[in-house]
Amino acid sequence: MRFYLAPMEGVTGYIYRNVYHKYFHNIDCYYTPFLAPNKNHGFSSREKNDVKPEHNKGMRVVPQILTSQAEYFIRTAKDMEQLGYDEVNLNLGCPSATVVTKRKGAGLLADHAYLEHFLEDIFREVNISISLKTRIGMESPEEFDDLLDLYNQFPVKELIVHPRVREDYYNNTPNWDAFGKAVEAGKHKLCYNGDLFTVDDYKKFCAAFPQIDAVMLGRGILRNPGIVDEMKGNAPAGKKTLKLFHDEILEAYTEAFSGDRPVLFKMKELWVHMLPLLDPEEGYTKKIRKAEKISEYKRIVAPLFE
Ligand SMILES: Cc1cc2nc3c(=O)[nH]c(=O)nc-3n(C[C@H](O)[C@H](O)[C@H](O)COP(=O)(O)O)c2cc1C
């Protein structure tokens, strides 16, 4: 099985990826949180830093692009090619209202004729490989049949399917019947994404889809950074490793940002996911949320790793 780390805006940027890779070293491909090109051509400093080759050494990284304009996608893909990347990924899944109303992310799934033109343009103009990360529709899983027919017309490097519709956001359970359609009718290499949180979830998935050899994990890894090792049959991550992992992320954020606030903002977001693993009784949620200084934060979290 190949394991991919999902793109997660605000979380799985280059700092998280590098530290994760150092301690766990079990991911075959990392997808960057989306780059959102605009008419002014420039990238934000967050985006520039995220795709800099020196920030992504020794691991396979695929930049993800979120846009409704084929022209911007093509330009960004060419920029990524210049930086040495051999693949870019198109975001066809972001459910947020501000994104979807601009026809980006899952919004691109609403109008199949528009999407077809978009795909024609990008597959004609881009020289490096293009993979797609898609939901199964905007409102109804029935939309997925047409989408699969559409994707089958293009030389998609890999189709990553998160089998929810946009209306689900992250609610309900992934629709494995719809994923089954991709297994039967899809022509491309397939990767499954969605709600693989535990070894048990992973085993059930493998039993249901023995022919699939790639899975992408997002929240499962944030919750338990050692989960991929466990899925591979290895021991769970010990508290010592988790502490080193945590401390190095904290240190890297402290170097990258000025002032305690942005660093703590990032760390608090991580703890939203990681706390159930280290603090099943939820005694720390409020304490961590209230920390205003890094020194205070360090004191608060220290006992969690003991
Ligand atoms: C905080 C957050 C940020 C996300 N950012 C992105 C993103 O930038 N691009 C993308 O394609 N999906 C994004 N996603 C969706 C994830 O990549 C993934 O598809 C989703 O979380 C389902 O996988 P999981 O159940 O393994 O977490 C994001 C999800 C979350 C919770």
Side-chain angles (χ1 to χ4, degrees):
M1 182 66 80
R2 282 170 296 126
F3 288 89
Y4 304 158
L5 178 68
M8 300 186 98
E9 214 275 315
V11 192
T12 59
Y14 76 97
I15 288 182
Y16 186 91
R17 294 198 297 272
N18 276 281
V19 181
Y20 179 87
H21 196 65
K22 175 172 167 185
Y23 287 97
F24 297 98
H25 213 87
N26 51 22
I27 291 292
D28 298 281
C29 187
Y30 293 87
Y31 291 76
T32 72
F34 61 74
L35 308 170
N38 54 40
K39 63 177 184 310
N40 302 326
H41 206 277
F43 294 115
S44 68
S45 58
R46 193 276 287 168
E47 292 172 333
K48 271 189 216 148
N49 272 320
D50 211 30
V51 294
K52 263 189 191 167
E54 59 266 40
H55 287 166
N56 291 289
K57 281 187 193 149
M59 44 190 174
R60 178 165 175 77
V61 175
V62 172
Q64 188 191 59
I65 305 173
L66 174 88
T67 181
S68 62
Q69 305 296 314
E71 184 197 336
Y72 298 170
F73 185 97
I74 294 163
R75 196 185 67 209
T76 308
K78 289 186 191 288
D79 288 343
M80 295 305 114
E81 184 183 2
Q82 290 271 311
L83 288 175
Y85 291 99
D86 63 8
E87 178 182 341
V88 283
N89 177 263
L90 171 64
N91 181 321
L92 290 161
C94 183
S96 122
T98 46
V99 165
V100 166
T101 48
K102 290 183 197 138
R103 219 194 257 188
K104 299 179 194 176
L108 268 175
L109 306 177
D111 179 343
H112 294 190
Y114 183 89
L115 179 58
E116 185 171 2
H117 282 129
F118 182 101
L119 295 174
E120 270 167 15
D121 287 350
I122 66 171
F123 278 98
R124 190 180 58 244
E125 297 294 331
V126 172
N127 300 319
I128 55 178
S129 301
I130 302 174
S131 55
L132 308 178
K133 179 167 179 283
T134 187
R135 288 194 180 231
I136 55 175
M138 275 289 279
E139 287 168 7
S140 153
E142 259 84 87
E143 297 164 41
F144 197 41
D145 296 312
D146 278 355
L147 288 170
L148 276 173
D149 285 346
L150 187 54
Y151 299 152
N152 278 344
Q153 294 170 35
F154 297 95
V156 175
K157 159 96 187 290
E158 189 160 6
L159 185 64
I160 302 164
V161 180
H162 176 201
R164 285 186 164 98
V165 293
R166 183 265 170 165
E167 290 299 315
D168 289 330
Y169 287 80
Y170 295 96
N171 303 322
N172 305 323
T173 43
N175 184 329
W176 283 14
D177 289 341
F179 186 73
K181 284 187 188 169
V183 175
E184 273 168 32
K187 277 199 337 203
H188 305 299
K189 204 159 83 159
L190 266 184
C191 168
Y192 173 81
N193 168 237
D195 291 21
L196 297 181
F197 298 132
T198 63
V199 173
D200 200 40
D201 295 337
Y202 174 67
K203 282 190 179 154
K204 281 189 187 133
F205 175 79
C206 293
F209 297 103
Q211 60 281 73
I212 296 302
D213 66 359
V215 289
M216 170 182 272
L217 274 77
R219 291 164 298 168
I221 290 179
L222 300 187
R223 286 178 192 193
N224 174 6
I227 193 64
V228 173
D229 278 339
E230 290 183 43
M231 288 173 176
K232 289 183 176 193
N234 301 319
K239 287 202 174 174
K240 200 171 148 204
T241 307
L242 292 172
K243 180 169 171 26
L244 291 169
F245 172 69
H246 165 274
D247 290 356
E248 198 155 328
I249 291 184
L250 176 63
E251 194 183 314
Y253 281 143
T254 309
E255 267 171 40
F257 300 118
S258 61
D260 289 15
R261 276 177 80 92
V263 175
L264 290 177
F265 180 81
K266 288 280 191 194
M267 296 311 293
K268 287 175 189 179
E269 179 151 13
L270 264 191
W271 280 110
V272 168
H273 299 279
M274 218 162 69
L275 258 180
L277 177 72
L278 291 167
D279 176 33
E281 267 130 52
E282 297 186 17
Y284 280 77
T285 313
K286 264 196 193 152
K287 285 190 225 168
I288 294 179
R289 209 184 302 136
K290 280 187 178 162
E292 285 183 1
K293 291 265 166 256
I294 293 175
S295 51
E296 180 193 359
Y297 164 85
K298 281 183 179 166
R299 265 198 313 280
I300 292 169
V301 302
L304 286 168
F305 297 106
E306 277 160 15

